[in-house]
Amino acid sequence: MNMDFNMYMNDIVSQARSEIREAGYTELTTPEVVDEHLNKKGTALVMINSVCGCAGGIARPAAKHALNYDKLPDQLLTVFAGQDKEATEHVREKATEFLPSSPSFALFKDGKIVDMIERHEIEGHETMSVITNLQAWFEKHGKEI
């Protein structure tokens, strides 16, 4: 069987994007859109998405299921590492105290980085532990829904 690699990757990326969008996250695809959202007052959770196994098996399910909570950030956002390269780099420039990693989660408040769940806290961990970490952020920094 002869399969076109780019076609295969486009299918994977498309599925990964739609999965996180359907969960309620807004895509950040350019540096300008990053600034538009992260310069707003309030809290923003940014899921840095990717096509790796720990993104599909742990991070995206955690991003979705963590939302079943009484408090949430003001904004749910996502950027796709390796796809929306300039937007991803722009988010990372706002979190310079953390090494770039994907998948990961970044919590911003009033445009400033508050905390990050890095890949090493996702890969090899249970989905529930990532959900628990996200919901701890929501409890501390979120608003009652």
Side-chain angles (χ1 to χ4, degrees):
M1 180 191 311
N2 192 7
M3 180 178 260
D4 182 276
F5 179 75
N6 289 331
M7 221 161 104
Y8 173 74
M9 287 306 296
N10 286 341
D11 285 348
I12 291 174
V13 169
S14 179
Q15 176 62 33
R17 283 184 188 278
S18 68
E19 191 175 331
I20 201 72
R21 270 194 322 264
E22 288 170 10
Y25 289 73
T26 299
E27 285 188 291
L28 308 175
T29 56
T30 67
E32 295 78 20
V33 175
V34 169
D35 283 340
E36 176 186 326
H37 285 277
L38 291 185
N39 288 342
K40 292 180 182 177
K41 288 281 187 201
T43 54
L45 175 65
V46 180
M47 192 264 181
I48 301 171
N49 203 353
S50 72
V51 294
C52 72
C54 62
I58 302 168
R60 285 194 300 275
K64 177 181 178 180
H65 294 293
L67 304 181
N68 296 313
Y69 199 69
D70 294 338
K71 294 181 179 181
L72 292 176
D74 296 307
Q75 298 183 84
L76 300 170
L77 309 170
T78 185
V79 65
F80 209 114
Q83 301 298 312
D84 305 319
K85 294 177 184 179
E86 292 175 353
T88 303
E89 182 58 32
H90 201 57
V91 169
R92 289 176 173 161
E93 287 169 359
K94 296 176 178 294
T96 56
E97 52 270 41
F98 296 95
L99 293 173
S101 69
S102 57
S104 59
F105 294 91
L107 182 68
F108 290 86
K109 185 170 186 174
D110 299 332
K112 306 282 186 226
I113 187 75
V114 173
D115 205 355
M116 194 152 199
I117 297 172
E118 299 172 271
R119 181 186 177 110
H120 70 86
E121 298 169 284
I122 298 170
E123 185 177 33
H125 293 266
E126 295 294 322
T127 305
M128 196 61 214
S129 72
V130 178
I131 292 169
T132 300
N133 289 338
L134 289 168
Q135 289 177 341
W137 283 354
F138 300 168
E139 182 63 32
K140 186 173 181 181
H141 301 283
K143 289 184 181 171
E144 193 115 1
I145 54 169

